[in-house]
Amino acid sequence: ISEAVARKGEDAMWEVMEMDRDDPDTWEAYSDESKATTIKAGFKPQSDLFQFFGNQHPDLLTCYTSDMMEAMAQLTGEKASMFRPPESTLVQNIFPSEGEWNWRGEHFDGGVKDRQHKTFPGPFIINSLIYLNDIDHHGGGTVGWPGTHKTVRALAESDPEKYEYMWRLKEDLKTIDLNEPEETEPNCGDIFFFAHFSVHAASKNVRDTPRLALRARW
């Protein structure tokens, strides 16, 4: 995404969060449960991830450009008409925290048992994270396991009856050799695309600025 569009999105992110980027004292609100309820947000303490649901700020939605839609069509082999900018977006920010850097809870999306997602065709075609600031090493960049969209699919196809549902496949993720993960260190405007079955994880942010990102999937 062009820097001009992405930086406007970054400005909008701070506006949506009602925080001052230059005043870390204002960032503490991300773990305030009363504020989270007010702004339709939620905090995941296991990953220091703060989510704001259903955002429709125009400068956030503008980040979903026509070039991005075309890129997803190329990556998936689907018709371009399959992809349209979303009507709202999910904010997923990781705030700084103390302690050693690590990642937490490697997983693939769609494995929540209560939602009963079928493994095939799966709950989505492609997922995306748009980063709206520059992420330094160990600054909360997404961790990914390259190639796992193929190895996890192979496991699912080995026993379609057993793995009818995504949650059952998730239970056996530990049986797969995931190889070495890669930590992303994106710049403002970079996009992380990941496919059905791709294993990834949130990582701890041990730097001094929040990691700002938008998520949407098709």
Side-chain angles (χ1 to χ4, degrees), residues 109 124-129 142 192-196 198-200 215:
D109 287 357
F124 64 90
I125 301 170
I126 192 169
N127 214 330
S128 68
L129 277 168
T142 307
F192 178 71
F193 293 109
F194 47 112
H196 184 30
S198 291
V199 178
H200 59 283
R215 197 192 82 176

Side-chain angles (χ1 to χ4, degrees), residues 106-107 145-146 148 151-152 173-174 176-181 199:
E106 55 265 28
H107 65 285
W145 280 259
T148 47
T151 53
V152 175
L173 182 60
K174 59 183 178 294
I176 298 175
D177 181 4
L178 297 179
N179 297 317
E180 291 299 314
V199 178

